[in-house]
Amino acid sequence: LAKTTQPISMDSYEGQEVNITCSHNNIATNDYITWYQQFPSQGPRFIIQGYKTKVTNEVASLFIPADRKSSTLSLPRVSLSDTAVYYCLVATYSSASKIIFGSGTRLSIRP
Amino acid sequence: DAGITQSPRYKITETGRQVTLMCHQTWSHSYMFWYRQDLGHGLRLIYYSAAADITDKGEVSDGYVVSRSKTENFPLTLESATRSQTSVYFCASSEPTGLAGGPGFFGPGTRLTVL
């Protein structure tokens, strides 16, 4: 079971780039890395997913080193609306019961 | 409307009562999940289903029952509610071919209070 470790909280300012790192030392060969965003009183929202190297979409980038033991979510030019909890998830559908979320990182963006 | 819906959004019940939380998705996703989220914590998997009539337990399944007779519905029943089951419950769905490794879409949640 790939356990994930993330910082409990982070602070940044509007317009800055924010990088949130997740450690997953015992990731399995078939595991993918997925990041979610959750606002208060809402369900989590899928942000980005990757297996190795770099993935980029319209809202974020995901950097995964060759050993895949960690991953970094990069949010470019954050705004106040990016204040949320961010979850890193490592799992595969071959073991759906092991799709377990960690405690997440509470990101606070200041003006 | 397309998406994933949960009902009720808020529920207050008493210890010992049976409660059913409903989840409905319009995409015909094969995978569906139930999670609970307690104040200040991450999400914990209760049950999941890989297809209609196929369900399996997650890490905190005691006291809960699920069924999935139709692909689009995945109700969660608390057989005899306890105060420790006071939580926010999220339903989620995915197609494994589209998103390997994690639920793609979450519902808005049901806030359940057991008195």
Side-chain angles (χ1 to χ4, degrees), chain B residues 69-80:
Chain B
S69 58
K70 293 184 178 180
T71 299
E72 61 267 29
N73 297 324
F74 192 38
L76 175 72
T77 298
L78 287 67
E79 296 180 294
S80 178

Side-chain angles (χ1 to χ4, degrees), chain A residues 36 38 43-44 49 87 91 93 96 99, chain B residues 35 37 90 94 99-103:
Chain A
Y36 296 83
Q38 186 179 27
Q49 184 181 75
Y87 292 96
Y93 276 105
I99 301 177
Chain B
Y35 285 88
Q37 185 173 40
F90 290 103
S94 270
L99 287 171

Side-chain angles (χ1 to χ4, degrees), chain B residues 10-94:
Chain B
Y10 302 90
K11 176 72 175 179
I12 299 175
T13 190
E14 296 178 338
T15 300
R17 290 189 179 270
Q18 182 180 81
V19 177
T20 296
L21 309 183
M22 304 301 294
C23 178
H24 176 79
Q25 52 110 349
T26 61
W27 298 295
S28 298
H29 285 166
S30 58
Y31 273 85
M32 294 189 75
F33 307 81
W34 273 107
Y35 285 88
R36 61 176 287 176
Q37 185 173 40
D38 301 311
L39 190 64
H41 291 82
L43 293 96
R44 291 185 293 172
L45 181 65
I46 305 171
Y47 266 97
Y48 71 98
S49 170
D53 297 322
I54 301 174
T55 62
D56 210 343
K57 296 179 179 180
E59 62 174 321
V60 291
S61 61
D62 287 348
Y64 301 95
V65 175
V66 294
S67 63
R68 195 166 176 208
S69 58
K70 293 184 178 180
T71 299
E72 61 267 29
N73 297 324
F74 192 38
L76 175 72
T77 298
L78 287 67
E79 296 180 294
S80 178
T82 64
R83 290 182 180 174
S84 65
Q85 292 177 311
T86 293
S87 187
V88 180
Y89 291 83
F90 290 103
C91 179
S93 73
S94 270

